[in-house]
């Protein structure tokens, strides 16, 4: 029996639409949760499972040029 393809692979054409849908559905809630926890200017953050990177972008805007954000995913080909 052949190995099944990973259902949520980033190589599929519908990946962009999936990421957009996830961002539209969950980013506002995620940001509300992070606002009291996320670092401010000059801070640092790590995001695991970053998808297309929308929350990493939000974190980078918060920490500014003096801070840093590292974001990663199993497949980073769809990062912004």
């Amino acid at each position: 029996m052949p190995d099944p393809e990973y259902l949520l692979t980033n190589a599929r054409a519908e990946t962009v639409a999936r990421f957009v849908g996830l961002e539209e559905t969950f980013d506002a809630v995620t940001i509300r949760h992070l606002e009291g926890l996320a670092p401010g200017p000059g801070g640092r953050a790590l995001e695991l499972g970053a998808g297309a990177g929308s929350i990493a972008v939000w974190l980078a805007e918060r920490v500014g040029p003096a801070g840093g954000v590292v974001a990663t995913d199993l497949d980073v080909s769809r990062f912004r």
Side-chain angles (χ1 to χ4, degrees), residues 37-55:
L37 304 170
R44 297 183 299 174
L46 169 66
E47 184 184 10
L48 304 174
S54 61
I55 297 299

Side-chain angles (χ1 to χ4, degrees), residues 12 18-19 27 37-38 57 60 71:
R12 298 184 136 200
R18 179 170 43 91
F19 282 158
D27 277 10
L37 304 170
V57 169

Side-chain angles (χ1 to χ4, degrees), residues 22-35 55:
L22 287 168
E23 291 171 1
E24 289 175 352
T25 302
F26 296 111
D27 277 10
V29 172
T30 300
I31 289 168
R32 276 197 306 274
H33 284 290
L34 290 176
E35 281 181 326
I55 297 299

